Structure formats: structure tokens, C-alpha cells
Amino acid sequence: MNSQMHVASEQDKSDWKISDLNYEVPAHAQRFGYMIGGITVTGFVLLFLTGIIMAYFYEPSVNAAHQRVLALSGNSWGLWLRSFHRWVAEAVIFLIVLHLTRVILTGSYYGRRRANWWYGVILLFITVGFFYTGTVIKWDQEGYEAFQHSLETMELLPGGAALVSFLKGSLEVMRMFATHVLVLPLLLILFLTPHLVLVKLNKLSPLPGREREGKSTFFAHLRKIGLFSLSIYGFLAFLAAQFPAVVYPGPYAGVEMTKPPWPFLTLYMLEDWIGIKALLIAPLIILIGLIILPYIDKKGNPNATIHKVVAWSYLAVVAMLIFFIIMVGITPPVKHI
Amino acid sequence: MDSHCNYKIFKSMKHIKTALVALMVVGLSLGLAGSVFAHEGQEEENEKPELIYVQPDSLQMTRDFTTIREEVKSSTSLIVIKAVALALSVAGLVLVYLPRKGTESENE
């Protein structure tokens, strides 16, 4: 008893060292597929930083928002900063889908990982929310049309009329801005924190086909995430300077002349087919499908037939979405509302 | 918990890995193609109706985005940004694949 107390006392005296965090991780933590989540988190950090700088030059009002965005773009550094923010936002959406694909193909959503899967699904929708509100607050024709579409969609919801009357009006840009810079970041932190903690508690999901493998360290994992991030976001910084993010004229009422950014192009095509309710039904189907996935494929065992069915169905859906996006991308815009 | 999976199927299913790589390539191309094609022709409009909101004189920009983009296209700052960004990107990639002393065995 005394010796135990003595040990505890010695531990209490020793300071935490940074090397205490350098715990062992499986060797496959060094594979790109198992680093996508970390690279995405780096993207969020960059979005926070660039967003904070841009907030100093922005005015969230219906009369001034568009002009402030144009004014910021009038300076080469401002233009690059805004474009980089946009390119990183698009990359984060893409990386999350890639992360989701890896998790589905390796069946890493079963048992104790189920809760973390749901956190991930929520984070996907929060990220899409960021992208949507970010599109709206530049308040050009693209943003205005996106906002009008969401109002029409909200009216389909029970109690949607009240929500629309709250959002619509002279403070509409202000309310979208508040959602973008206050509500969504708060939700992101609220769901990302347990998501990361659960990765640590559950340990990294196994790599199919590797029952026995070597070990690596958490710092080596972080180092590689950092280098991949440097490479990816460095390239995006180049693209932002070469192909700046467009600001459309407007906004003009009564016309529909733009197409949404690529993550929403599938919805645009579905809206062509079945009308505005597609904007409500399609995300709902995706949400329900992702939530119940761990119940369909309960063990996530890549040997099981059900897992193969899930994996190939998912790939088929992704291929279909890519096809839709390309189809809409190459066809002229049409009027919906 | 993980031991019940022997994952034999994945040893032979190289196509899953190929599908992932293909998805990455398609996705990256899509990002680029989408950003180019998605907005093509959107700036050519028949006639523009009245602006919805009156913008204060103090904020009125006399130039539209196309003009702004043309003006800043060849600015020195953007050229410097491009050079530095590309250098960082290549450096990151080189360092990822550059073998580190004493870590080769632990990574494989």
C-alpha cells in the first residue's frame, strides 16, 4: 500500500512531457487512407484562419455584402485569400467524401465504432452547411439564388413558414453570416471533439488484410499528415492564385441564371426532374441511409456478403453522383423557381 | 473485437484499392473540371433586371469581377504566391516519400 502511494506520488511530481503524447499506433496509420481525416481537420484550421481575416473586411448587410466582397477581391492578396478559402472549402468537402469512402470500404463502422460513425455523418452535414452558407453570404447572384432555393425548400417542412419568415428580410445576410461564423463552428467543435476522442479511445480501425503488422508512432503519423497537408493545400494555394473564385454580379430578382457549386449539382439535376422537393428528399435519403448503415452491415466484416453489397452499392451511388455532376456541369443553367 | 475479421477477401480484392485510387483521381479531376464547366457561360446574360438592393454610394464598385480579375492577374504578389505555393506543395510531397533514417522498418 505504502509503495503504491509512493509510486503515485512520484507520478504526481513528474511533469507532463510532449513525448507522453507520442504513443504507439499501428503501422497502417502511415497510409494515406488513414490520414484523410487528419488532413481534413487541417483544412478546417485553414478555413478558420482565412475566415477570421476575411471577417475584418466584410459587412453582413443586404446592401453592402456584395460590394464588400468585390472590394476585397480588388486587392490581389484579398482576391487570393478569398479564393484560397473557397478552394480549401471545396477540398474539405471532397476529402470528407473520400474519408467516408475509406471508412465504408474497410467496414470501420461496426460495434463500438458505431457512435463515431454517426458523429462523422453529422459532421458531413455540418460541412455542407458551411459550404452553403458561405456561398450565400457573398451575396452575388449565385448566393442569392442558393438562398431563395433554401427558403422554398424550408417552406415544405412543418413549421417551415415560421423559419422562412425569421430568415427572410432585411437581416437575411446577417442571419446567414451568424450561422456561418457562429452556429456552425460551434456545432463543428461540439461534434468534432468527440469524433477525435473516440478515434483515440477505439484505436485506429484495422486495415483489412493485415492482421499482424508493425508499429509506428503518433508523432510520425502527425508528421505525415502535416506533409500531405502542406502538399495538398500548397497546391490549392497555387490554384487559388491561378483560378480565383468568381464573384457574380447581382443579386437580381426574378431571374435564375447561375448553377450551384459542384457539391450541389446533383441536387440541381434532381430538382430538374422532380421539382423543389428534391432538395429536401435527396439529403433526407442520404442522411437516413448513412444513419442505418451500421445496422445493415452489423459486423463490418469485409468477408461477409452483406459488406460487399454495401461497399459496391456505395461505389455505384458515388459513380452515379459523379455522372450527374458532370452532366449538369456541361449543360446550360435552367430556371427552377 | 477486430480479431474476428481475417480480411482474406481484401488480399485478393486489389480492385477495391484500384477503385479508391480511381475515385481520388476522378474526384480531383471533377473538382477542377467542375469549377471550370459549372460556371461557364453564366456571366453571359440577356438583359439584367434591376438590382434588388440599393448599394450605398460609398461602397459602389465601378468595376465588376471580370475587370478586377484581369487587373490583378499579372500582379507581382500573385506570381510570388504561385511560386511559393508550388514550391511548398512539391516540398511536402518530396518529404512524404523521402525515406527517413531508422523509420523504414517501423512503417512497413
Side-chain angles (χ1 to χ4, degrees):
Chain A
M1 183 70 184
N2 279 343
S3 67
Q4 278 177 358
M5 282 176 72
H6 177 72
V7 169
S9 152
E10 284 302 309
Q11 279 176 347
D12 288 344
K13 279 181 199 165
S14 63
D15 286 333
W16 276 102
K17 295 187 206 77
I18 196 83
S19 58
D20 291 339
L21 294 171
N22 199 17
Y23 49 85
E24 270 193 352
V25 293
H28 70 264
Q30 301 291 58
R31 285 170 175 259
F32 181 77
Y34 286 82
M35 285 188 279
I36 304 170
I39 298 168
T40 310
V41 172
T42 314
F44 272 118
V45 173
L46 290 172
L47 287 170
F48 270 104
L49 294 176
T50 50
I52 287 168
I53 300 170
M54 285 199 295
Y56 281 98
F57 300 91
Y58 183 69
E59 189 178 335
S61 78
V62 288
N63 295 321
H66 182 238
Q67 295 300 305
R68 290 290 186 199
V69 173
L70 269 182
L72 177 67
S73 307
N75 173 289
S76 52
W77 285 98
L79 177 69
W80 174 79
L81 188 75
R82 202 181 61 74
S83 303
F84 184 58
H85 190 79
R86 171 65 183 256
W87 275 99
V88 174
E90 297 196 25
V92 161
I93 295 260
F94 172 68
L95 285 166
I96 287 182
V97 174
L98 209 60
H99 179 57
L100 180 84
T101 306
R102 199 279 295 162
V103 171
I104 288 181
L105 294 186
T106 55
S108 309
Y109 40 68
Y110 62 95
R112 61 185 176 183
R113 293 197 171 84
R114 199 176 289 163
N116 216 12
W117 164 263
W118 289 326
Y119 279 123
V121 171
I122 295 167
L123 286 167
L124 168 69
F125 278 81
I126 289 173
T127 310
V128 173
F130 265 118
F131 198 90
Y132 160 72
T133 49
T135 304
V136 170
I137 60 174
K138 64 191 168 99
W139 209 231
D140 58 355
Q141 191 60 27
E142 185 184 53
Y144 177 75
E145 286 178 18
F147 185 61
Q148 294 308 311
H149 275 77
S150 60
L151 292 182
E152 295 263 337
T153 312
M154 278 176 213
E155 279 182 351
L156 301 174
L157 291 165
L163 189 61
V164 168
S165 71
F166 170 71
L167 287 174
K168 210 173 171 180
S170 59
L171 290 178
E172 51 200 14
V173 175
M174 181 66 221
R175 282 171 180 158
M176 281 286 132
F177 181 67
T179 311
H180 189 72
V181 304
L182 295 172
V183 180
L184 290 172
L186 195 68
L187 288 174
L188 182 78
I189 293 166
L190 214 62
F191 287 98
L192 187 59
T193 308
H195 191 66
L196 296 176
V197 169
L198 281 174
V199 171
K200 165 79 177 121
L201 291 179
N202 293 339
K203 294 192 171 63
L204 198 67
S205 56
L207 173 69
R210 285 278 185 101
E211 298 90 40
R212 287 179 193 158
E213 58 172 345
K215 297 283 178 196
S216 182
T217 61
F218 183 61
F219 281 1
H221 176 63
L222 284 185
R223 176 187 172 272
K224 213 161 179 182
I225 286 177
L227 291 176
F228 268 122
S229 299
L230 182 69
S231 183
I232 292 170
Y233 298 116
F235 185 60
L236 291 175
F238 167 78
L239 288 179
Q242 184 66 32
F243 306 105
V246 178
V247 184
Y248 294 102
Y252 303 103
V255 287
E256 199 175 334
M257 56 175 93
T258 67
K259 281 185 279 188
W262 67 267
F264 300 113
L265 284 179
T266 302
L267 288 177
Y268 185 88
M269 185 163 206
L270 293 174
E271 193 188 354
D272 268 356
W273 292 348
I274 60 170
I276 196 82
K277 57 181 179 287
L279 305 190
L280 190 66
I281 295 169
L284 210 61
I285 290 174
I286 293 172
L287 177 66
I288 293 170
L290 292 174
I291 285 174
I292 64 169
L293 189 68
Y295 290 112
I296 298 171
D297 182 15
K298 286 181 185 169
K299 293 188 175 175
N301 183 350
N303 290 327
T305 311
I306 186 69
H307 178 77
K308 283 183 246 174
V309 171
V310 165
W312 285 109
S313 306
Y314 171 78
L315 288 177
V317 170
V318 170
M320 190 179 73
L321 294 181
I322 291 172
F323 175 73
F324 282 176
I325 289 171
I326 293 170
M327 283 301 293
V328 180
I330 57 176
T331 51
V334 288
K335 192 168 165 48
H336 290 123
I337 55 174
Chain B
M1 168 139 287
D2 303 326
S3 59
H4 72 284
C5 306
N6 58 20
Y7 302 121
K8 274 180 190 162
I9 191 80
F10 270 82
K11 287 177 182 168
S12 57
M13 283 175 71
K14 293 280 181 197
H15 46 284
I16 288 280
K17 196 174 174 182
T18 315
L20 261 177
V21 173
L23 263 177
M24 269 178 59
V25 173
V26 170
L28 278 173
S29 323
L30 186 73
L32 282 170
S35 52
V36 174
F37 288 119
H39 304 305
E40 207 168 65
Q42 287 174 31
E43 286 167 47
E44 303 158 14
E45 283 315 313
N46 311 329
E47 54 182 279
K48 286 173 181 166
E50 287 298 303
L51 281 167
I52 302 167
Y53 303 103
V54 180
Q55 288 144 359
D57 289 343
S58 58
L59 282 176
Q60 277 293 350
M61 290 285 291
T62 49
R63 304 165 298 167
D64 62 3
F65 183 73
T66 317
T67 321
I68 290 171
R69 190 167 52 184
E70 283 307 310
E71 281 173 10
V72 297
K73 207 181 219 173
S74 53
S75 86
T76 319
S77 308
L78 282 184
I79 293 167
V80 171
I81 290 171
K82 278 186 236 177
V84 173
L86 263 189
L88 287 175
S89 179
V90 173
L93 211 57
V94 168
L95 287 170
V96 164
Y97 291 105
L98 204 69
R100 289 176 76 205
K101 263 185 184 174
T103 56
E104 282 309 278
S105 55
E106 73 177 8
N107 291 345
E108 287 305 320

